[in-house]
Amino acid sequence: MTPPETSSDIPRMDGDFVARHGVRAGASLRAFDEIVRTIAYAGTEPVLESIVPLVREFLEGDQALAYRLEYRDGELDVDFGHCAGGGPMDHLMREARAFVRGARGALTAYRLPSPAPSERNTIFNSAEKAARERYLSSPFVQEFFPKLGFRGQEQIRVLICDGPRLLTWLGAFRSQGFGEREAERLKMLIEPLAKRLALEEKLGRLTLRGAALDVAMEALGAPAFILDKRGAVVHANEAGRALPPEERVEIVERARTGRLPAEFSLLSISAEGIPPHALLVQRRGLSTEQRLASFAKRWVLTPRQVQVVGRIVEGRSNKEIAAALGIQEKTVEIHTTNTFRKVGVGCRSELVAAFWSA
């Protein structure tokens, strides 16, 4: 993410600037520079918690707050909250959630779940006569903010939105009213922070989709691969990774050249903003070898126990297994007993049933 243009317009914090504009102006400009750089360079981690203390300094407030209310299953809840100068955050969140869940009717001076167009990305200053009545009538201001220690204080805030979507309530409090200077400073944060928070939400959705894809691919119970446009494997589920390397390479190569075995399907995947991919999946059940690899991983079997289970499934006796593996028959019995214990079965037939039903 490139830094907002405003950061490049900030003059150097040298003695000449302070001499011209004063120490307090220099400190405020330094605070703004730090906020913008935090927004621009904070990687993919959420930035709100780290910038709320900076916002308090930048707006010269006694406290600063960022939070969001959302409806979940038809009930209003607090999605997140960050506060500077208001006590331990875990206590504040408990208070907020209890208040929101127990409240009735409209809680805020803005519309939920989506603020009205005139409320989005617009500075609200309680010191302004036109906003005063709406500010004082809000249950949040009358009943909840005093629980945070904000009693009779003035407020300046903005509802940072991405279209109709509320990203965060962000504001500051102090005993004296906020003026045009603080309003102008808060305006400077709207665009870079809106872009940043929208990016964080998009990254969060991508992470969720990726996790859902992993779950879905594992639920197939059969080898599955995601191939890029060149035919290279970019992701495989557990059953796919359990295939012998030479078999996996052969299947992928045949998919690339259009000579897939009948039991495999190649499905196109298209999504906005990414090149075409494909899902390669086996439609029939797992082979015995694939089942054995999955079964071993599930029950944490040792390599020797895997060899024994494979031959039990084939119907071999302990004597035949001992001869095939070059070990004593008594050793086969020990491996078999330990496998029974791990899988939670009491005999060979139950082990075979568990193997094929897994």
Side-chain angles (χ1 to χ4, degrees):
M1 181 174 176
T2 58
E5 291 181 3
T6 49
S7 65
S8 63
D9 296 333
I10 296 172
R12 290 178 56 226
M13 295 300 113
D14 53 25
D16 290 341
F17 178 82
V18 173
R20 289 195 306 272
H21 301 284
V23 174
R24 188 167 186 175
S28 296
L29 202 54
R30 272 194 296 273
F32 177 67
D33 187 40
E34 187 172 359
I35 292 171
V36 173
R37 291 180 184 278
T38 300
I39 294 170
Y41 299 119
T44 59
E45 294 301 315
V47 300
L48 269 180
E49 183 175 8
S50 63
I51 72 166
V52 166
L54 302 176
V55 169
R56 177 178 64 167
E57 179 182 351
F58 183 51
L59 298 180
E60 301 177 24
D62 297 326
Q63 296 95 5
L65 180 66
Y67 73 90
R68 181 168 67 198
L69 299 177
E70 284 198 319
Y71 279 98
R72 292 196 180 91
D73 299 325
E75 293 188 357
L76 197 61
D77 198 3
V78 184
D79 187 37
F80 62 78
H82 307 292
C83 185
M89 202 59 232
D90 56 348
H91 168 72
L92 298 184
M93 288 297 289
R94 284 196 300 271
E95 290 280 351
R97 289 199 165 103
F99 176 79
V100 168
R101 290 168 182 168
R104 295 291 178 268
L107 289 178
T108 65
Y110 58 92
R111 191 177 72 183
L112 288 171
S114 300
S118 61
E119 297 172 326
R120 303 169 193 165
N121 301 318
T122 302
I123 303 299
F124 180 93
N125 189 344
S126 66
E128 296 177 355
K129 183 178 292 187
R132 190 106 192 121
E133 185 176 347
R134 188 155 59 112
Y135 170 66
L136 293 176
S137 66
S138 166
F140 240 50
V141 173
Q142 290 183 341
E143 302 171 34
F144 178 63
F145 282 156
K147 295 177 180 289
L148 306 185
F150 308 161
R151 298 180 183 275
Q153 290 175 292
E154 301 292 345
Q155 169 196 117
I156 188 169
R157 57 91 168 150
V158 61
L159 305 176
I160 295 182
C161 300
D162 180 28
R165 169 74 168 147
L166 175 61
L167 298 172
T168 188
W169 185 108
L170 176 67
F173 301 84
R174 70 184 186 193
S175 56
Q176 294 179 336
F178 293 92
E180 187 60 28
R181 179 178 60 181
E182 291 80 25
E184 287 297 324
R185 291 175 183 173
L186 188 53
K187 284 179 185 177
M188 288 188 242
L189 295 179
I190 293 174
E191 183 178 357
L193 192 53
K195 290 179 179 178
R196 175 70 197 198
L197 296 179
L199 174 63
E200 288 180 10
E201 289 211 339
K202 289 175 183 176
L203 290 174
R205 287 194 293 269
L206 287 175
T207 301
L208 178 61
R209 289 174 187 172
L213 175 63
D214 288 343
V215 171
M217 288 185 66
E218 295 302 336
L220 291 172
F225 308 89
I226 294 179
L227 310 180
D228 64 16
K229 63 180 182 180
R230 300 184 305 275
V233 176
V234 296
H235 184 70
N237 65 359
E238 182 178 328
R241 295 190 297 270
L243 288 176
E246 59 277 6
E247 184 178 347
R248 184 168 61 244
V249 170
E250 180 183 0
I251 291 170
V252 172
E253 179 60 29
R254 293 181 70 173
R256 186 184 295 115
T257 58
R259 299 180 295 107
L260 268 177
E263 68 268 23
F264 277 87
S265 293
L266 189 64
L267 308 173
S268 175
I269 301 175
S270 60
E272 183 179 353
I274 65 170
H277 285 64
L279 175 65
L280 174 62
V281 60
Q282 186 177 10
R283 292 179 298 179
R284 295 179 184 172
L286 299 175
S287 67
T288 301
E289 291 75 17
Q290 293 162 2
R291 283 183 174 275
L292 188 58
S294 179
F295 190 78
K297 186 170 184 178
R298 177 182 180 184
W299 299 111
V300 198
L301 303 184
T302 67
R304 184 64 87 185
Q305 288 169 349
V306 173
Q307 292 175 328
V308 171
V309 169
R311 284 159 177 79
I312 290 176
V313 169
E314 293 173 354
R316 307 260 192 113
S317 66
N318 283 358
K319 184 176 182 179
E320 290 173 321
I321 296 172
L325 299 181
I327 58 178
Q328 298 294 319
E329 192 171 341
K330 185 67 175 177
T331 305
V332 174
E333 292 177 3
I334 293 173
H335 287 309
T336 301
T337 301
N338 289 337
T339 302
F340 287 171
R341 176 178 50 78
K342 285 184 177 181
V343 180
V345 298
C347 61
R348 279 175 165 249
S349 61
E350 290 180 1
L351 179 65
V352 173
F355 179 85
W356 289 112
S357 64

